[in-house]
Amino acid sequence: MKQQYGLFISWVIALVATLGSLYFSEIRGFIPCTLCWYQRICMYPLVLITGIGSFQNDYSVKKIALPISLIGLCISTWHYLEQKVPGFAEIKPCTQGVPCSSEYINVFGFITIPFLAGLAFLLVSLILIFTKKDKTI
């Protein structure tokens, strides 16, 4: 994939994921749990980093965006495991806020908010990995 297209597609995916997270919290009223906040901390900067890289055709942003995306993927995977695998859920009987094992949405029995975030992080990561730097003459 060409450099400019890869960065642009990564930017679009990060932007849609960011707008989706804002929709869930600000419009639907879902309160983000701790792991959701950590995923947001990874996703929101990707919009700026990949957007600037795409519009300035600066391939060097890959060195910044890829590690952030992979960290977000790890957090999303852990969050999804906490929701779907009983042994991963933390036992905290008297905590404040929303537990990370709760599911606001559950489509087809497996699509949850951390699944969607993990999918976005995975796509961004794969696109950045397989995007080749344009050859200059």
Side-chain angles (χ1 to χ4, degrees):
M1 182 180 300
K2 290 184 75 171
Q3 165 187 334
Q4 187 175 4
Y5 298 131
L7 290 174
F8 180 75
I9 293 169
S10 296
W11 173 71
V12 169
I13 292 169
L15 182 64
V16 168
T18 297
L19 293 175
S21 76
L22 291 172
Y23 167 77
F24 283 135
S25 63
E26 300 302 318
I27 295 174
R28 297 284 304 267
F30 298 161
I31 300 169
C33 68
T34 303
L35 289 176
C36 287
W37 279 112
Y38 292 144
Q39 291 168 72
R40 287 176 175 210
I41 289 169
C42 291
M43 185 61 73
Y44 290 4
L46 285 178
V47 176
L48 292 174
I49 295 167
T50 57
I52 290 169
S54 173
F55 291 106
Q56 291 187 350
N57 203 19
D58 183 5
Y59 187 69
S60 66
V61 300
K62 176 181 175 179
K63 292 184 274 187
I64 300 167
L66 185 58
I68 293 172
S69 182
L70 291 173
I71 290 168
L73 178 60
C74 292
I75 296 169
S76 296
T77 302
W78 183 262
H79 192 183
Y80 188 72
L81 288 172
E82 276 198 14
Q83 286 184 334
K84 295 298 183 182
V85 179
F88 278 90
E90 294 182 18
I91 300 172
K92 292 184 180 178
C94 297
T95 60
Q96 295 178 344
V98 179
C100 292
S101 59
S102 65
E103 298 177 18
Y104 282 117
I105 64 168
N106 189 347
V107 180
F108 304 122
F110 71 94
I111 299 175
T112 62
I113 294 173
F115 179 86
L116 294 172
L119 183 61
F121 284 123
L122 179 66
L123 289 173
V124 168
S125 297
L126 289 175
I127 289 169
L128 290 175
I129 288 169
F130 291 113
T131 297
K132 303 293 183 204
K133 186 173 181 180
D134 289 341
K135 295 179 182 178
T136 57
I137 300 175

mmCIF file of all heavy atoms in Angstrom, residues 82-119:
data_model
loop_
_atom_site.group_PDB
_atom_site.id
_atom_site.type_symbol
_atom_site.label_atom_id
_atom_site.label_comp_id
_atom_site.label_asym_id
_atom_site.label_seq_id
_atom_site.Cartn_x
_atom_site.Cartn_y
_atom_site.Cartn_z
ATOM 1 N N GLU A 82 -11.467 -9.427 30.044
ATOM 2 C CA GLU A 82 -12.152 -9.197 31.319
ATOM 3 C C GLU A 82 -13.662 -9.309 31.161
ATOM 4 O O GLU A 82 -14.348 -9.744 32.069
ATOM 5 C CB GLU A 82 -11.795 -7.821 31.893
ATOM 6 C CG GLU A 82 -10.513 -7.817 32.659
ATOM 7 C CD GLU A 82 -10.382 -6.613 33.579
ATOM 8 O OE1 GLU A 82 -11.386 -5.903 33.828
ATOM 9 O OE2 GLU A 82 -9.264 -6.384 34.049
ATOM 10 N N GLN A 83 -14.172 -8.913 30.003
ATOM 11 C CA GLN A 83 -15.609 -8.996 29.778
ATOM 12 C C GLN A 83 -16.070 -10.414 29.456
ATOM 13 O O GLN A 83 -17.138 -10.825 29.901
ATOM 14 C CB GLN A 83 -16.026 -8.081 28.626
ATOM 15 C CG GLN A 83 -16.019 -6.633 28.966
ATOM 16 C CD GLN A 83 -16.536 -5.787 27.824
ATOM 17 O OE1 GLN A 83 -16.460 -6.166 26.656
ATOM 18 N NE2 GLN A 83 -17.055 -4.618 28.163
ATOM 19 N N LYS A 84 -15.302 -11.145 28.695
ATOM 20 C CA LYS A 84 -15.775 -12.411 28.151
ATOM 21 C C LYS A 84 -15.258 -13.657 28.862
ATOM 22 O O LYS A 84 -15.867 -14.711 28.752
ATOM 23 C CB LYS A 84 -15.420 -12.506 26.657
ATOM 24 C CG LYS A 84 -16.129 -11.486 25.811
ATOM 25 C CD LYS A 84 -17.623 -11.691 25.895
ATOM 26 C CE LYS A 84 -18.378 -10.747 25.013
ATOM 27 N NZ LYS A 84 -19.821 -10.917 25.117
ATOM 28 N N VAL A 85 -14.140 -13.561 29.570
ATOM 29 C CA VAL A 85 -13.584 -14.726 30.258
ATOM 30 C C VAL A 85 -13.740 -14.496 31.763
ATOM 31 O O VAL A 85 -13.146 -13.561 32.303
ATOM 32 C CB VAL A 85 -12.095 -14.940 29.884
ATOM 33 C CG1 VAL A 85 -11.518 -16.130 30.624
ATOM 34 C CG2 VAL A 85 -11.948 -15.108 28.379
ATOM 35 N N PRO A 86 -14.532 -15.333 32.440
ATOM 36 C CA PRO A 86 -14.815 -15.091 33.855
ATOM 37 C C PRO A 86 -13.573 -14.993 34.744
ATOM 38 O O PRO A 86 -13.549 -14.208 35.679
ATOM 39 C CB PRO A 86 -15.668 -16.295 34.262
ATOM 40 C CG PRO A 86 -16.255 -16.789 32.997
ATOM 41 C CD PRO A 86 -15.257 -16.483 31.929
ATOM 42 N N GLY A 87 -12.535 -15.732 34.483
ATOM 43 C CA GLY A 87 -11.348 -15.708 35.318
ATOM 44 C C GLY A 87 -10.541 -14.428 35.218
ATOM 45 O O GLY A 87 -9.738 -14.126 36.099
ATOM 46 N N PHE A 88 -10.760 -13.643 34.164
ATOM 47 C CA PHE A 88 -10.012 -12.403 33.986
ATOM 48 C C PHE A 88 -10.643 -11.222 34.718
ATOM 49 O O PHE A 88 -9.978 -10.229 34.975
ATOM 50 C CB PHE A 88 -9.887 -12.051 32.504
ATOM 51 C CG PHE A 88 -8.785 -12.771 31.808
ATOM 52 C CD1 PHE A 88 -9.016 -13.997 31.201
ATOM 53 C CD2 PHE A 88 -7.510 -12.241 31.759
ATOM 54 C CE1 PHE A 88 -8.005 -14.670 30.553
ATOM 55 C CE2 PHE A 88 -6.485 -12.908 31.116
ATOM 56 C CZ PHE A 88 -6.734 -14.131 30.518
ATOM 57 N N ALA A 89 -11.928 -11.308 35.010
ATOM 58 C CA ALA A 89 -12.621 -10.190 35.655
ATOM 59 C C ALA A 89 -12.096 -10.008 37.071
ATOM 60 O O ALA A 89 -11.966 -10.965 37.830
ATOM 61 C CB ALA A 89 -14.122 -10.444 35.672
ATOM 62 N N GLU A 90 -11.797 -8.770 37.409
ATOM 63 C CA GLU A 90 -11.308 -8.476 38.745
ATOM 64 C C GLU A 90 -12.450 -8.552 39.743
ATOM 65 O O GLU A 90 -13.587 -8.227 39.440
ATOM 66 C CB GLU A 90 -10.690 -7.075 38.782
ATOM 67 C CG GLU A 90 -9.447 -6.940 37.942
ATOM 68 C CD GLU A 90 -8.845 -5.557 38.061
ATOM 69 O OE1 GLU A 90 -9.167 -4.836 39.017
ATOM 70 O OE2 GLU A 90 -8.049 -5.212 37.189
ATOM 71 N N ILE A 91 -12.120 -8.964 40.944
ATOM 72 C CA ILE A 91 -13.115 -9.021 42.005
ATOM 73 C C ILE A 91 -12.892 -7.808 42.896
ATOM 74 O O ILE A 91 -11.951 -7.752 43.679
ATOM 75 C CB ILE A 91 -12.985 -10.324 42.813
ATOM 76 C CG1 ILE A 91 -13.187 -11.522 41.898
ATOM 77 C CG2 ILE A 91 -13.970 -10.333 43.961
ATOM 78 C CD1 ILE A 91 -12.890 -12.848 42.547
ATOM 79 N N LYS A 92 -13.741 -6.817 42.733
ATOM 80 C CA LYS A 92 -13.676 -5.601 43.535
ATOM 81 C C LYS A 92 -15.085 -5.306 44.041
ATOM 82 O O LYS A 92 -15.869 -4.671 43.355
ATOM 83 C CB LYS A 92 -13.155 -4.427 42.704
ATOM 84 C CG LYS A 92 -11.717 -4.540 42.293
ATOM 85 C CD LYS A 92 -11.296 -3.284 41.566
ATOM 86 C CE LYS A 92 -9.856 -3.367 41.137
ATOM 87 N NZ LYS A 92 -9.437 -2.177 40.391
ATOM 88 N N PRO A 93 -15.425 -5.753 45.233
ATOM 89 C CA PRO A 93 -16.800 -5.626 45.687
ATOM 90 C C PRO A 93 -17.253 -4.196 45.999
ATOM 91 O O PRO A 93 -18.409 -3.876 45.841
ATOM 92 C CB PRO A 93 -16.850 -6.484 46.941
ATOM 93 C CG PRO A 93 -15.438 -6.575 47.398
ATOM 94 C CD PRO A 93 -14.590 -6.463 46.176
ATOM 95 N N CYS A 94 -16.374 -3.317 46.433
ATOM 96 C CA CYS A 94 -16.797 -1.990 46.874
ATOM 97 C C CYS A 94 -16.061 -0.879 46.133
ATOM 98 O O CYS A 94 -15.460 -0.006 46.749
ATOM 99 C CB CYS A 94 -16.572 -1.844 48.381
ATOM 100 S SG CYS A 94 -17.552 -2.978 49.351
ATOM 101 N N THR A 95 -16.083 -0.896 44.838
ATOM 102 C CA THR A 95 -15.387 0.135 44.076
ATOM 103 C C THR A 95 -16.383 1.155 43.551
ATOM 104 O O THR A 95 -17.575 0.881 43.433
ATOM 105 C CB THR A 95 -14.617 -0.467 42.889
ATOM 106 O OG1 THR A 95 -15.552 -1.122 42.037
ATOM 107 C CG2 THR A 95 -13.569 -1.442 43.352
ATOM 108 N N GLN A 96 -15.885 2.318 43.221
ATOM 109 C CA GLN A 96 -16.723 3.343 42.624
ATOM 110 C C GLN A 96 -16.611 3.268 41.114
ATOM 111 O O GLN A 96 -15.618 2.810 40.576
ATOM 112 C CB GLN A 96 -16.273 4.720 43.087
ATOM 113 C CG GLN A 96 -16.456 4.956 44.554
ATOM 114 C CD GLN A 96 -15.946 6.324 44.964
ATOM 115 O OE1 GLN A 96 -15.206 6.950 44.228
ATOM 116 N NE2 GLN A 96 -16.354 6.776 46.127
ATOM 117 N N GLY A 97 -17.624 3.755 40.446
ATOM 118 C CA GLY A 97 -17.578 3.791 38.991
ATOM 119 C C GLY A 97 -18.058 2.501 38.352
ATOM 120 O O GLY A 97 -18.596 1.611 39.004
ATOM 121 N N VAL A 98 -17.845 2.410 37.077
ATOM 122 C CA VAL A 98 -18.295 1.278 36.288
ATOM 123 C C VAL A 98 -17.222 0.195 36.281
ATOM 124 O O VAL A 98 -16.058 0.487 36.003
ATOM 125 C CB VAL A 98 -18.579 1.731 34.833
ATOM 126 C CG1 VAL A 98 -19.018 0.568 33.969
ATOM 127 C CG2 VAL A 98 -19.611 2.830 34.821
ATOM 128 N N PRO A 99 -17.583 -1.052 36.574
ATOM 129 C CA PRO A 99 -16.573 -2.117 36.485
ATOM 130 C C PRO A 99 -16.216 -2.390 35.025
ATOM 131 O O PRO A 99 -17.054 -2.260 34.135
ATOM 132 C CB PRO A 99 -17.267 -3.325 37.121
ATOM 133 C CG PRO A 99 -18.723 -3.036 37.040
ATOM 134 C CD PRO A 99 -18.873 -1.546 37.042
ATOM 135 N N CYS A 100 -14.974 -2.762 34.807
ATOM 136 C CA CYS A 100 -14.503 -2.999 33.439
ATOM 137 C C CYS A 100 -15.125 -4.246 32.815
ATOM 138 O O CYS A 100 -15.053 -4.430 31.608
ATOM 139 C CB CYS A 100 -12.973 -3.104 33.427
ATOM 140 S SG CYS A 100 -12.165 -1.542 33.811
ATOM 141 N N SER A 101 -15.716 -5.105 33.624
ATOM 142 C CA SER A 101 -16.322 -6.319 33.084
ATOM 143 C C SER A 101 -17.748 -6.097 32.597
ATOM 144 O O SER A 101 -18.343 -6.993 32.009
ATOM 145 C CB SER A 101 -16.302 -7.422 34.148
ATOM 146 O OG SER A 101 -17.008 -7.002 35.295
ATOM 147 N N SER A 102 -18.311 -4.906 32.812
ATOM 148 C CA SER A 102 -19.682 -4.647 32.355
ATOM 149 C C SER A 102 -19.705 -4.419 30.849
ATOM 150 O O SER A 102 -18.738 -3.941 30.260
ATOM 151 C CB SER A 102 -20.281 -3.446 33.088
ATOM 152 O OG SER A 102 -19.583 -2.279 32.750
ATOM 153 N N GLU A 103 -20.828 -4.761 30.233
ATOM 154 C CA GLU A 103 -20.988 -4.634 28.789
ATOM 155 C C GLU A 103 -22.172 -3.721 28.495
ATOM 156 O O GLU A 103 -23.300 -4.064 28.788
ATOM 157 C CB GLU A 103 -21.225 -6.001 28.149
ATOM 158 C CG GLU A 103 -20.086 -6.978 28.318
ATOM 159 C CD GLU A 103 -20.392 -8.350 27.718
ATOM 160 O OE1 GLU A 103 -21.319 -8.455 26.896
ATOM 161 O OE2 GLU A 103 -19.698 -9.308 28.082
ATOM 162 N N TYR A 104 -21.900 -2.564 27.917
ATOM 163 C CA TYR A 104 -22.987 -1.669 27.527
ATOM 164 C C TYR A 104 -23.682 -2.182 26.270
ATOM 165 O O TYR A 104 -24.890 -2.074 26.143
ATOM 166 C CB TYR A 104 -22.462 -0.261 27.275
ATOM 167 C CG TYR A 104 -22.200 0.528 28.531
ATOM 168 C CD1 TYR A 104 -20.917 0.954 28.849
ATOM 169 C CD2 TYR A 104 -23.232 0.860 29.398
ATOM 170 C CE1 TYR A 104 -20.682 1.687 29.988
ATOM 171 C CE2 TYR A 104 -23.003 1.591 30.544
ATOM 172 C CZ TYR A 104 -21.721 2.004 30.837
ATOM 173 O OH TYR A 104 -21.482 2.730 31.967
ATOM 174 N N ILE A 105 -22.899 -2.675 25.329
ATOM 175 C CA ILE A 105 -23.480 -3.261 24.123
ATOM 176 C C ILE A 105 -22.926 -4.675 23.973
ATOM 177 O O ILE A 105 -21.822 -4.969 24.434
ATOM 178 C CB ILE A 105 -23.198 -2.431 22.853
ATOM 179 C CG1 ILE A 105 -21.699 -2.392 22.541
ATOM 180 C CG2 ILE A 105 -23.755 -1.033 22.971
ATOM 181 C CD1 ILE A 105 -21.374 -1.835 21.167
ATOM 182 N N ASN A 106 -23.728 -5.531 23.359
ATOM 183 C CA ASN A 106 -23.295 -6.901 23.089
ATOM 184 C C ASN A 106 -24.069 -7.380 21.859
ATOM 185 O O ASN A 106 -25.175 -7.885 21.969
ATOM 186 C CB ASN A 106 -23.562 -7.802 24.294
ATOM 187 C CG ASN A 106 -22.926 -9.165 24.140
ATOM 188 O OD1 ASN A 106 -22.483 -9.534 23.062
ATOM 189 N ND2 ASN A 106 -22.890 -9.906 25.222
ATOM 190 N N VAL A 107 -23.476 -7.193 20.694
ATOM 191 C CA VAL A 107 -24.116 -7.551 19.432
ATOM 192 C C VAL A 107 -23.578 -8.903 18.983
ATOM 193 O O VAL A 107 -22.365 -9.122 18.976
ATOM 194 C CB VAL A 107 -23.837 -6.469 18.359
ATOM 195 C CG1 VAL A 107 -24.505 -6.826 17.048
ATOM 196 C CG2 VAL A 107 -24.291 -5.110 18.844
ATOM 197 N N PHE A 108 -24.464 -9.795 18.634
ATOM 198 C CA PHE A 108 -24.129 -11.148 18.193
ATOM 199 C C PHE A 108 -23.366 -11.938 19.257
ATOM 200 O O PHE A 108 -22.697 -12.917 18.954
ATOM 201 C CB PHE A 108 -23.328 -11.144 16.883
ATOM 202 C CG PHE A 108 -24.001 -10.437 15.751
ATOM 203 C CD1 PHE A 108 -23.374 -9.380 15.115
ATOM 204 C CD2 PHE A 108 -25.260 -10.819 15.315
ATOM 205 C CE1 PHE A 108 -23.990 -8.716 14.059
ATOM 206 C CE2 PHE A 108 -25.883 -10.167 14.274
ATOM 207 C CZ PHE A 108 -25.249 -9.120 13.642
ATOM 208 N N GLY A 109 -23.410 -11.502 20.486
ATOM 209 C CA GLY A 109 -22.766 -12.227 21.575
ATOM 210 C C GLY A 109 -21.272 -12.013 21.711
ATOM 211 O O GLY A 109 -20.653 -12.541 22.618
ATOM 212 N N PHE A 110 -20.669 -11.201 20.821
ATOM 213 C CA PHE A 110 -19.227 -10.997 20.948
ATOM 214 C C PHE A 110 -18.771 -9.570 20.636
ATOM 215 O O PHE A 110 -17.653 -9.193 20.961
ATOM 216 C CB PHE A 110 -18.452 -11.988 20.068
ATOM 217 C CG PHE A 110 -18.551 -11.738 18.593
ATOM 218 C CD1 PHE A 110 -17.590 -10.996 17.937
ATOM 219 C CD2 PHE A 110 -19.617 -12.262 17.866
ATOM 220 C CE1 PHE A 110 -17.683 -10.776 16.575
ATOM 221 C CE2 PHE A 110 -19.711 -12.048 16.508
ATOM 222 C CZ PHE A 110 -18.744 -11.296 15.849
ATOM 223 N N ILE A 111 -19.594 -8.765 20.001
ATOM 224 C CA ILE A 111 -19.184 -7.404 19.645
ATOM 225 C C ILE A 111 -19.531 -6.468 20.796
ATOM 226 O O ILE A 111 -20.697 -6.156 21.028
ATOM 227 C CB ILE A 111 -19.849 -6.937 18.340
ATOM 228 C CG1 ILE A 111 -19.435 -7.843 17.180
ATOM 229 C CG2 ILE A 111 -19.479 -5.482 18.042
ATOM 230 C CD1 ILE A 111 -20.125 -7.540 15.875
ATOM 231 N N THR A 112 -18.488 -6.039 21.506
ATOM 232 C CA THR A 112 -18.634 -5.085 22.605
ATOM 233 C C THR A 112 -17.800 -3.852 22.284
ATOM 234 O O THR A 112 -17.087 -3.815 21.273
ATOM 235 C CB THR A 112 -18.167 -5.709 23.934
ATOM 236 O OG1 THR A 112 -16.773 -6.034 23.821
ATOM 237 C CG2 THR A 112 -18.957 -6.972 24.272
ATOM 238 N N ILE A 113 -17.858 -2.854 23.148
ATOM 239 C CA ILE A 113 -17.080 -1.635 22.904
ATOM 240 C C ILE A 113 -15.578 -1.921 22.862
ATOM 241 O O ILE A 113 -14.888 -1.445 21.959
ATOM 242 C CB ILE A 113 -17.457 -0.540 23.919
ATOM 243 C CG1 ILE A 113 -18.909 -0.106 23.686
ATOM 244 C CG2 ILE A 113 -16.521 0.661 23.800
ATOM 245 C CD1 ILE A 113 -19.462 0.850 24.719
ATOM 246 N N PRO A 114 -15.014 -2.720 23.796
ATOM 247 C CA PRO A 114 -13.584 -3.036 23.689
ATOM 248 C C PRO A 114 -13.245 -3.825 22.424
ATOM 249 O O PRO A 114 -12.153 -3.674 21.878
ATOM 250 C CB PRO A 114 -13.286 -3.866 24.938
ATOM 251 C CG PRO A 114 -14.357 -3.537 25.879
ATOM 252 C CD PRO A 114 -15.553 -3.194 25.060
ATOM 253 N N PHE A 115 -14.171 -4.644 21.942
ATOM 254 C CA PHE A 115 -13.950 -5.362 20.683
ATOM 255 C C PHE A 115 -13.820 -4.378 19.531
ATOM 256 O O PHE A 115 -12.930 -4.511 18.683
ATOM 257 C CB PHE A 115 -15.101 -6.347 20.428
ATOM 258 C CG PHE A 115 -14.973 -7.112 19.138
ATOM 259 C CD1 PHE A 115 -14.249 -8.277 19.097
ATOM 260 C CD2 PHE A 115 -15.581 -6.660 17.980
ATOM 261 C CE1 PHE A 115 -14.115 -8.997 17.908
ATOM 262 C CE2 PHE A 115 -15.462 -7.355 16.787
ATOM 263 C CZ PHE A 115 -14.721 -8.520 16.756
ATOM 264 N N LEU A 116 -14.717 -3.374 19.499
ATOM 265 C CA LEU A 116 -14.662 -2.376 18.441
ATOM 266 C C LEU A 116 -13.370 -1.564 18.513
ATOM 267 O O LEU A 116 -12.734 -1.291 17.489
ATOM 268 C CB LEU A 116 -15.880 -1.450 18.532
ATOM 269 C CG LEU A 116 -17.239 -2.106 18.268
ATOM 270 C CD1 LEU A 116 -18.369 -1.131 18.592
ATOM 271 C CD2 LEU A 116 -17.336 -2.586 16.840
ATOM 272 N N ALA A 117 -12.973 -1.182 19.725
ATOM 273 C CA ALA A 117 -11.723 -0.431 19.888
ATOM 274 C C ALA A 117 -10.532 -1.291 19.478
ATOM 275 O O ALA A 117 -9.617 -0.814 18.791
ATOM 276 C CB ALA A 117 -11.570 0.031 21.333
ATOM 277 N N GLY A 118 -10.539 -2.554 19.891
ATOM 278 C CA GLY A 118 -9.456 -3.454 19.518
ATOM 279 C C GLY A 118 -9.375 -3.656 18.020
ATOM 280 O O GLY A 118 -8.274 -3.718 17.445
ATOM 281 N N LEU A 119 -10.515 -3.742 17.366
ATOM 282 C CA LEU A 119 -10.542 -3.872 15.912
ATOM 283 C C LEU A 119 -9.932 -2.637 15.250
ATOM 284 O O LEU A 119 -9.141 -2.744 14.300
ATOM 285 C CB LEU A 119 -11.976 -4.089 15.426
ATOM 286 C CG LEU A 119 -12.181 -4.325 13.938
ATOM 287 C CD1 LEU A 119 -11.449 -5.572 13.475
ATOM 288 C CD2 LEU A 119 -13.665 -4.417 13.622
#
